[in-house]
Amino acid sequence: MAEPGPEEKIDSTFRNGSLTAAGIILGFSLNFISRWVSNPNDWSRIDILPMAFLTVGIAIQVFADLLARDSLIAANYDRSRRLFLIGLVIVALGMGIALLNDILGLGSMQILG
């Protein structure tokens, strides 16, 4: 894939669709961590690892800077999109670790009920 030029811009309509998708994904991530934290079960040390992944991943998603005015410049948009996707992968790893802990019976914060 060719690198965009220094002043190449993307269409604002295209960015709006990306912002909608990013907002839905971020909302899902925040809802997952909110429901998991409000679980009445006790915490154990093994729960710290998935919580750290979830927190870091959500922070990266929030600070991906897709809302910045200069994100209409293609190079800045590509950087922000990559950063958001890195955050999404980290959140997915955190969810996977939490589910694995639950399946193996290691953590006390049950996700599967």
Side-chain angles (χ1 to χ4, degrees):
M1 186 161 102
E3 288 293 318
E7 289 300 317
E8 182 183 346
K9 293 191 176 192
I10 62 169
D11 185 37
S12 62
T13 306
F14 176 77
R15 188 188 73 158
N16 291 344
S18 299
L19 285 175
T20 301
I24 291 169
I25 292 169
L26 181 60
F28 173 76
S29 301
L30 289 169
N31 186 41
F32 180 86
I33 199 169
S34 171
R35 302 248 331 178
W36 194 43
V37 169
S38 65
N39 192 336
N41 295 333
D42 293 330
W43 287 78
S44 66
R45 288 186 179 150
I46 197 78
D47 296 322
I48 293 172
L49 182 63
M51 182 55 73
F53 273 88
L54 290 168
T55 304
V56 169
I58 289 172
I60 291 172
Q61 287 177 357
V62 168
F63 294 114
D65 211 18
L66 285 169
L67 292 173
R69 234 177 117 201
D70 66 348
S71 69
L72 287 174
I73 298 172
N76 294 345
Y77 174 79
D78 289 341
R79 180 192 55 79
S80 296
R81 185 181 50 84
R82 274 192 302 271
L83 193 59
F84 183 84
L85 291 175
I86 289 169
L88 179 63
V89 167
I90 293 172
V91 167
L93 286 172
M95 288 180 184
I97 293 169
L99 286 170
L100 187 63
N101 286 347
D102 192 20
I103 290 168
L104 297 176
L106 298 174
S108 57
M109 294 294 290
Q110 293 184 356
I111 295 174
L112 298 176

